[in-house]
Amino acid sequence: MTEPLRLGVVGLGRAFMLMLPTLAHHPLAQLVAAADPRAEARRQFESDFSRPDAPARSYDSVEALCADEAVEALYIASPHQFHVAHVRLAAAHGKHVLVEKPMALTIADCQAMIEAAGAGGVHLLVGHSHSFDAPYLRAAELIRSGRFGRARMITAANYTDFLYRPRRPEELDTAQGGGVVFSQGAHQVDIVRLLGGGLVSAVRATTGRFDPARPTEGAYQAFLSFADGASATLTYSGYGRYDSDEQLGWIGEMGQPRDPESYGAARRGLAQVSTPEEEAALKNTRTYGVAKSAVAAPPAAAGHNHFGPITICCEQADLRPLTNGVMIYADERRWLEPLQAPTVPRAEVVDEFHAAVRAGIAPLHSGAWGMATLEVCLAILESARTGREVALRHQVAAG
Ligand SMILES: NC(=O)c1ccc[n+]([C@@H]2O[C@H](COP(=O)([O-])OP(=O)(O)OC[C@H]3O[C@@H](n4cnc5c(N)ncnc54)[C@H](O)[C@@H]3O)[C@@H](O)[C@H]2O)c1
């Protein structure tokens, strides 16, 4: 039961850099192989993860990685548009899968992935999403316990510089999965569904495209109705002005300390480039095999990962997940339900994947769960386009 998952990685880019402290330091994960078209990333992987008795292997194709018998499960962190093909390949070779969010760009592709996993007899999980973060899981547990009555109103608001971080061209094209609804909605919707019980019945939304030089959604606001009468408002802006980490004691999304004096840094960084090619090259300077490798030790954490301030009004108390626990505001008093500081960041992702593969424990973040979150994201885009409320059909309960 404590035997680590022997993992292969598909796509050694930014997402892998962010999961690296987890995958390199969690005792239930062992990185044995990877696939990426970039030779410098493959070289770095072999050098970082080879052990005297077991060299790490790297491949320039996902097919070759899937043929590696030492690999039992894949972390798929290739760009969105490849997720469906890569999951199909993995499932056909009997490899369990953790695929990055968003799961895919259409419901039909999600269904194909779920069917492929079923046919291959493998587990399919979708993540990392910030709904794996311990404070949200703990808040959901507290709600489920019934101690504070039912969750009735959820308010989530996150203000970041997402749109001004360097991007590949398709990340600025909604038709190819670009913009904040696919990339950031996948986190925020996932958290709100977890806290609200999972079953969203309808969505009304607007989206913002405020900068013609970044021609995709940089912001959205959505109203979600749940099947049990609860509701949620979601606000996201990636326009790089107000930064809601200010409300969380300047602890960043990865649980890292932030410097409030770095105001405007993303816009200033982007001002160095003038073409899409230069921008993609700038993104590459932060990627695996080019940027400094983060294998040696997990970065010092100031708290748990988070995705902006969230408040849940329950019938008998208000709850606020924070980076060190969950604040509870009851009638007569308020208190913090503390969480232990993380030793391995995002450890919950490997915990859930390992429990599914080794102990057959049904994961919360299953393919059906990931598809339900994508359905809400697609409904946000549709409602913004049509001005109408969108009814949903593929929702699943939160366990
Ligand atoms: N959960 C998170 O916090 C998080 C953060 C960033 C990105 N992501 C997700 O991860 C995915 C990748 O995004 P990114 O920002 O890392 O992109 P990226 O461009 O930084 O990295 C993509 C990597 O995949 C490689 N690649 C491209 N085509 C490939 C193929 N056919 N086979 C194997 N590898 C291939 C590229 O060479 C690159 O190394 C996206 O779905 C994104 O939404 C998640």
Side-chain angles (χ1 to χ4, degrees):
M1 268 330 169
T2 55
E3 188 196 339
L5 288 180
R6 294 184 304 281
L7 291 175
V9 180
V10 177
L12 296 167
R14 256 323 269 172
F16 175 65
M17 286 284 276
L18 298 176
M19 278 302 285
L20 187 51
T22 314
L23 300 177
H25 297 285
H26 196 300
L28 298 178
Q30 186 189 346
L31 288 167
V32 296
D36 197 294
R38 293 184 303 111
E40 69 274 20
R42 297 199 300 271
R43 274 194 301 274
Q44 182 79 49
F45 184 86
E46 290 183 6
S47 137
D48 282 344
F49 297 105
S50 285
R51 295 177 310 178
D53 54 329
R57 291 171 302 287
S58 72
Y59 304 97
D60 61 6
S61 79
V62 183
E63 288 83 348
L65 174 66
C66 285
D68 187 327
E69 288 182 358
V71 173
E72 61 177 329
L74 294 185
Y75 165 53
I76 297 181
S78 48
H80 316 334
Q81 63 269 31
F82 300 119
H83 290 179
V84 59
H86 291 166
V87 167
R88 277 184 162 138
L89 265 174
H93 286 82
K95 314 289 185 196
H96 302 287
V97 176
L98 170 68
V99 61
E100 266 294 350
K101 56 82 231 166
M103 181 176 175
L105 302 180
T106 65
I107 294 296
D109 278 355
C110 293
Q111 285 168 331
M113 292 156 89
I114 293 167
E115 274 165 31
V122 298
H123 289 284
L124 169 62
L125 278 76
V126 182
H128 159 265
S129 125
H130 280 287
S131 70
F132 279 95
D133 299 349
Y136 304 128
L137 291 173
R138 181 76 186 116
E141 221 174 76
L142 289 166
I143 294 167
R144 241 49 98 221
S145 76
R147 271 167 73 191
F148 308 111
R150 293 176 303 165
R152 297 287 80 196
M153 298 193 303
I154 302 169
T155 307
N158 201 7
Y159 293 75
T160 75
D161 59 11
F162 180 87
L163 206 61
Y164 295 91
R165 299 174 200 156
R167 299 285 166 204
R168 285 179 268 110
E170 67 261 38
E171 292 181 284
L172 298 174
D173 176 5
T174 309
Q176 298 185 68
V180 298
V181 178
F182 281 116
S183 271
Q184 300 290 274
H187 289 296
Q188 200 178 37
V189 167
D190 226 47
I191 296 166
V192 166
R193 288 189 54 242
L194 168 72
L195 298 170
L199 300 172
V200 180
S201 54
V203 175
R204 179 77 172 85
T206 57
T207 53
R209 289 171 172 245
F210 306 149
D211 181 353
R214 316 287 285 167
T216 185
E217 293 76 26
Y220 61 81
Q221 195 152 48
F223 184 84
L224 272 49
S225 306
F226 283 86
D228 71 350
S231 61
T233 59
L234 285 69
T235 299
Y236 188 93
S237 168
Y239 281 104
R241 297 188 183 103
Y242 169 60
D243 186 327
S244 47
D245 287 350
E246 186 174 321
Q247 283 184 55
L248 290 163
W250 288 112
I251 295 176
E253 180 179 346
M254 310 301 153
Q256 83 283 19
R258 295 275 316 275
D259 174 10
E261 298 312 316
S262 67
Y263 190 87
R267 269 201 172 69
R268 280 195 298 282
L270 211 52
Q272 304 164 31
V273 299
S274 47
T275 65
E277 294 74 28
E278 284 175 12
E279 183 172 339
L282 180 63
K283 175 168 184 170
N284 259 347
T285 61
R286 305 201 304 164
T287 202
Y288 188 70
V290 182
K292 191 167 159 283
S293 172
V295 171
H304 285 274
N305 273 231
H306 73 80
F307 203 71
I310 294 186
T311 310
I312 308 124
C313 287
C314 296
E315 287 162 322
Q316 283 114 42
D318 296 337
L319 271 49
R320 285 180 65 220
L322 300 175
T323 57
N324 61 347
V326 180
M327 265 309 285
I328 295 168
Y329 303 78
D331 292 350
E332 306 291 336
R333 65 186 187 103
R334 58 183 178 154
W335 71 96
L336 178 75
E337 293 264 331
L339 282 169
Q340 260 191 348
T343 47
V344 175
R346 299 183 174 183
E348 302 80 10
V349 180
V350 173
D351 294 344
E352 195 173 313
F353 197 17
H354 187 274
V357 174
R358 288 277 180 272
I361 296 173
L364 165 66
H365 297 88
S366 62
W369 177 267
M371 178 166 78
T373 290
L374 179 74
E375 186 186 30
V376 176
C377 295
L378 291 171
I380 290 175
L381 290 170
E382 184 184 335
S383 175
R385 204 169 48 241
T386 62
R388 300 232 168 89
E389 184 171 270
V390 178
L392 304 186
R393 294 179 301 130
H394 299 285
Q395 297 299 292
V396 291

